[in-house]
Amino acid sequence: MTTASYTIGWLARAGGVGVETIRYYQRRGLIETPSRQGPAGSGGVRRYDEKDVRRLRFIRSAQAAGFTLEQIGELIELDAGKDRARARELAKERIAALDEKIADLDRARSVLKKLARDCASQAGNPCPILAAFEGPGSRPR
Amino acid sequence: MTTASYTIGWLARAGGVGVETIRYYQRRGLIETPSRQGPAGSGGVRRYDEKDVRRLRFIRSAQAAGFTLEQIGELIELDAGKDRARARELAKERIAALDEKIADLDRARSVLKKLARDCASQAGNPCPILAAFEGPGSRPR
DNA sequence: ATAGGTTCCGTACCATGGTACGGAGTCAAG
DNA sequence: CTTGACTCCGTACCATGGTACGGAACCTAT
């Protein structure tokens, strides 16, 4: 039984975020707020466990996948639920968005690669930043 | 001589943004604010040209490449300038960031792909959202 | 020449995802 | 049993990138 328990500070470090960020996620309802543990009468401190660490890591990964915190909240509810169709829908939507985004970034990357090359030569050809991006017009956000 | 001129509304449409966004970019110093053109005595309206359209499109592409508006401002200054080293540096930094980001998104994509597959079956195996993201821990932003 | 659509401009407000502050309470080591 | 670090909580503030509002001026077509 390794039922180690963490303080909020340890949880934060385990997830690579700040304490304030944990509290923020709690306010957003993404992480539960355990009850205070301590001798009766004194307030005590809230204690977290592995489950919370996993939850936190999930949040960070899902963010990296481009989900908003609101969507992440929905995913968390879905995880414990039965609505597979909705889960699938969210996943597919995100995949489509990722495909677009990845294509955009790939395009941007090659533009930059060429730009860096052109700007390498001490003199000679110019290094025209604005012109470099002409043509492949992708929209941001 | 096709020196067509645009009103701000046309410029906005040409760039696929709203009028307010143009004004915002002007406030940020990313797009110039031409002087009002009109019969002496009357205010007249500001008129834009192809150069502005190109500038605007550049801004959108550079945003898609992950540059912040502040960096885009720097790029614009650099474009008309001589500091090739700095231009190169910005490009290379961004390429590195893009490489990381693209890798993250690729990872996220395959996680989601698998998740969508698992959540497809009507019954049988579960569709464990949180668990799906375990392992490849990438940080957001 | 008048109506309706634009433009101009300042200022306010918005969403997202945090980060900081500050006072009071709690905990752990020496 | 004190001292220093950490926690708790409410509230305020921040950066980024816009979006909205509203009145006055302006421009264009009828």
Side-chain angles (χ1 to χ4, degrees):
Chain A
M1 279 291 155
T2 49
T3 316
S5 87
Y6 304 83
T7 63
I8 198 172
W10 282 92
L11 176 59
R13 255 161 269 140
V17 304
V19 166
E20 297 305 323
T21 302
I22 304 284
R23 294 200 204 284
Y24 174 66
Y25 291 162
Q26 289 177 324
R27 267 178 266 138
R28 298 277 314 232
L30 301 179
I31 289 182
E32 279 160 48
T33 303
S35 57
R36 288 174 167 218
Q37 302 291 324
S42 83
V45 115
R46 302 187 192 285
R47 301 211 150 252
Y48 302 84
D49 60 19
E50 288 299 338
K51 200 175 52 52
D52 298 302
V53 176
R54 264 178 275 126
R55 174 73 64 98
L56 178 53
R57 295 212 167 120
F58 166 71
I59 294 169
R60 304 302 279 178
S61 299
Q63 269 187 307
F67 288 103
T68 64
L69 293 185
E70 178 155 4
Q71 292 172 319
I72 292 171
E74 193 179 351
L75 289 174
I76 288 171
E77 287 185 11
L78 248 33
D79 182 62
K82 53 262 119 226
D83 195 349
R84 309 163 75 91
R86 177 62 179 149
R88 197 166 142 75
E89 179 176 313
L90 282 172
K92 298 195 100 173
E93 270 175 28
R94 191 94 290 275
I95 289 170
L98 283 180
D99 284 344
E100 240 204 274
K101 182 103 190 178
I102 291 170
D104 281 358
L105 297 188
D106 277 338
R107 249 178 281 124
R109 187 186 190 285
S110 66
V111 165
L112 288 171
K113 207 73 185 171
K114 172 160 169 25
L115 185 61
R117 236 185 295 116
D118 288 353
C119 297
S121 44
Q122 284 312 108
N125 57 336
C127 110
I129 302 176
L130 295 232
F133 280 91
E134 270 168 32
S138 24
R139 335 111 207 89
R141 289 306 79 193
Chain B
M1 279 287 156
T2 49
T3 317
S5 88
Y6 304 84
T7 63
I8 198 173
W10 282 95
L11 175 59
R13 256 162 268 142
V17 303
V19 166
E20 296 306 323
T21 302
I22 303 286
R23 294 200 204 283
Y24 174 66
Y25 291 162
Q26 290 178 323
R27 266 177 266 138
R28 299 278 313 232
L30 301 179
I31 289 182
E32 279 161 48
T33 302
S35 58
R36 289 173 166 218
Q37 302 291 324
S42 83
V45 116
R46 300 187 192 285
R47 302 210 150 253
Y48 303 83
D49 59 19
E50 288 300 337
K51 202 175 51 53
D52 298 302
V53 176
R54 263 177 277 128
R55 174 74 64 99
L56 177 54
R57 295 211 169 122
F58 167 70
I59 294 169
R60 304 302 279 179
S61 300
Q63 269 187 308
F67 288 103
T68 64
L69 293 184
E70 177 156 3
Q71 291 172 320
I72 291 171
E74 193 179 352
L75 289 174
I76 288 171
E77 288 185 11
L78 248 33
D79 181 63
K82 53 263 120 225
D83 195 348
R84 310 162 74 92
R86 176 62 178 149
R88 199 166 142 76
E89 180 177 314
L90 282 172
K92 299 193 100 173
E93 270 175 29
R94 190 93 290 271
I95 289 169
L98 283 179
D99 284 345
E100 241 204 274
K101 182 102 191 182
I102 291 169
D104 281 357
L105 296 188
D106 277 338
R107 249 178 280 125
R109 186 185 190 286
S110 66
V111 165
L112 287 171
K113 206 74 185 170
K114 173 160 168 25
L115 185 61
R117 237 184 295 116
D118 288 353
C119 297
S121 44
Q122 285 311 109
N125 57 336
C127 110
I129 303 176
L130 295 232
F133 280 90
E134 270 168 32
S138 25
R139 335 108 207 94
R141 286 307 77 186

